[in-house]
Amino acid sequence: MMRPSTFFFLIRRGIRNLGKHWAMTFVCILSLSVCMTLNTFASLAEVNVDSMVNYLGSQNETVVYLDPECDDATAQAVGEKLAAMPGVTNVQFVSKQDVLNTYRNYMEDYSSLWDEFENDNPFKANYRVSIADLSQMESMSKQMQAIQGVYSVTAPVEMTNVFVQVQRSVTKVGRGIVLVLMVVSIITVGSTIRLSVFARRREIEIMKYVGATNGLVTLPFVVEGLAMGLISGVLTAAISLGGYSYMVQASDGLGGVWEMIMGQALVPVSAVWSTIIPYSLIGGAVVGGLGSMFSIRKHLNV
């Protein structure tokens, strides 16, 4: 079993190796930071697209029109059945009078024209239904249509399918980019450590010949990789949060179409910083450690 003094000695040695090979260390940290920053922004793009799709989905409610001949008890029963359906997040009743008042407000200059409909209201009472999973809108619309007392169901199925396809495509592309950049990051760290190992291959061979265990030889290099990964993680978190904060502030002034699409600015920094910081630090440490272990493994067989 390794003594504590030996363990801390090897850790200090791994940290000192960063300075001995400062040029390679700098290149590795810079390369890893770039890869991880791109990774982070790919993930942020995915988060914001999810937010956009969810917002647009909440604005495209399914409208369930009631049969004009149904009584109050039937209308109430329809509402209860709609609310009990799995995946339904909100059900709002809109009476015939509410619909008439809405149109009256839209055309305030011609509101007198709508007085004729007060005693002969042509509109239908309806329920506005919000669905959690937009991909289920089409199938759920058919279930709603089958409820007794329902006259018709209007749902923006085609538009919703477009939103869902965009969301899925961005998710696939984002995850693909994350995977590729993660592999590139491991290779980058591994290449740097491999050069360091190659420069000290004679030293490693001598250590193995005099009886040093694989753990004694490997630990300094793993510490070196972990240190580079953690430094890269700190840089990644700082760059990502700084750049994203600027983007959020810039998006506040876009207004117009942007607000119509997103409903707000980008997802606020306060909602993502608690994920970005640990992701950057843990991701950097894991990539650095794995890159080191893969690089030194073949040099241990002496």
Side-chain angles (χ1 to χ4, degrees):
M1 183 176 179
M2 187 183 300
R3 292 181 300 177
S5 59
T6 303
F7 178 77
F8 288 111
F9 169 76
L10 294 175
I11 290 179
R12 289 195 299 270
R13 182 178 176 186
I15 295 175
R16 285 200 301 269
N17 288 340
L18 295 174
K20 289 182 179 179
H21 305 85
W22 63 269
M24 289 186 294
T25 298
F26 175 78
V27 172
C28 180
I29 291 174
L30 183 62
S31 301
L32 182 55
S33 298
V34 170
C35 291
M36 291 180 62
T37 300
L38 292 175
N39 252 333
T40 302
F41 277 101
S43 300
L44 287 171
E46 183 180 340
V47 168
N48 279 279
V49 169
D50 286 342
S51 175
M52 178 190 71
V53 172
N54 291 334
Y55 171 76
L56 291 174
S58 67
Q59 302 304 303
N60 290 281
E61 299 172 315
T62 299
V63 183
V64 179
Y65 292 99
L66 298 176
D67 190 327
E69 303 300 326
C70 74
D71 54 23
D72 292 342
T74 303
Q76 183 177 354
V78 171
E80 292 173 352
K81 291 178 181 179
L82 291 173
M85 292 180 64
V88 171
T89 58
N90 185 53
V91 176
Q92 180 183 3
F93 177 71
V94 181
S95 67
K96 296 171 60 174
Q97 187 63 43
D98 291 335
V99 177
L100 180 61
N101 292 338
T102 299
Y103 280 102
R104 188 195 299 274
N105 291 333
Y106 284 155
M107 304 176 65
E108 293 181 356
D109 294 338
Y110 303 95
S111 59
S112 59
L113 297 177
W114 296 95
D115 293 338
E116 299 181 12
F117 296 120
E118 286 292 343
N119 298 321
D120 186 20
N121 193 330
F123 298 106
K124 297 180 180 70
N126 61 79
Y127 283 99
R128 304 274 176 167
V129 182
S130 298
I131 299 173
D133 186 358
L134 298 182
S135 63
Q136 301 298 317
M137 180 175 285
E138 185 173 6
S139 61
M140 293 185 69
S141 297
K142 294 178 180 179
Q143 297 177 36
M144 295 174 188
Q145 182 67 64
I147 297 176
Q148 185 179 2
V150 172
Y151 181 82
S152 64
V153 177
T154 302
V157 175
E158 294 184 1
M159 183 180 297
T160 299
N161 288 338
V162 172
F163 294 157
V164 172
Q165 289 300 321
V166 169
Q167 184 182 33
R168 290 175 177 173
S169 299
V170 171
T171 298
K172 290 180 180 179
V173 172
R175 292 177 180 176
I177 292 174
V178 168
L179 180 61
V180 170
L181 291 177
M182 185 66 71
V183 173
V184 170
S185 300
I186 293 175
I187 294 174
T188 300
V189 175
S191 299
T192 303
I193 299 294
R194 190 176 293 112
L195 290 173
S196 179
V197 171
F198 183 79
R200 286 176 280 174
R201 65 189 185 283
R202 297 300 181 192
E203 177 185 345
I204 295 173
E205 292 175 358
I206 293 173
M207 291 176 65
K208 291 290 294 182
Y209 282 133
V210 298
T213 63
N214 288 344
L216 288 173
V217 177
T218 303
L219 185 57
F221 293 99
V222 173
V223 170
E224 185 177 349
L226 287 172
M228 286 191 292
L230 287 173
I231 294 173
S232 299
V234 172
L235 291 175
T236 298
I239 295 171
S240 299
L241 289 174
Y244 188 65
S245 297
Y246 175 79
M247 293 172 62
V248 170
Q249 292 177 1
S251 68
D252 286 335
L254 295 178
V257 177
W258 185 264
E259 289 185 1
M260 182 180 69
I261 295 176
M262 293 292 293
Q264 58 175 358
L266 297 174
V267 174
V269 177
S270 59
V272 297
W273 73 265
S274 59
T275 301
I276 290 178
I277 293 177
Y279 165 81
S280 300
L281 295 178
I282 295 174
V286 170
V287 171
L290 289 177
S292 300
M293 287 190 291
F294 290 153
S295 300
I296 194 173
R297 185 173 53 184
K298 70 176 184 179
H299 292 279
L300 298 177
N301 299 320
V302 177

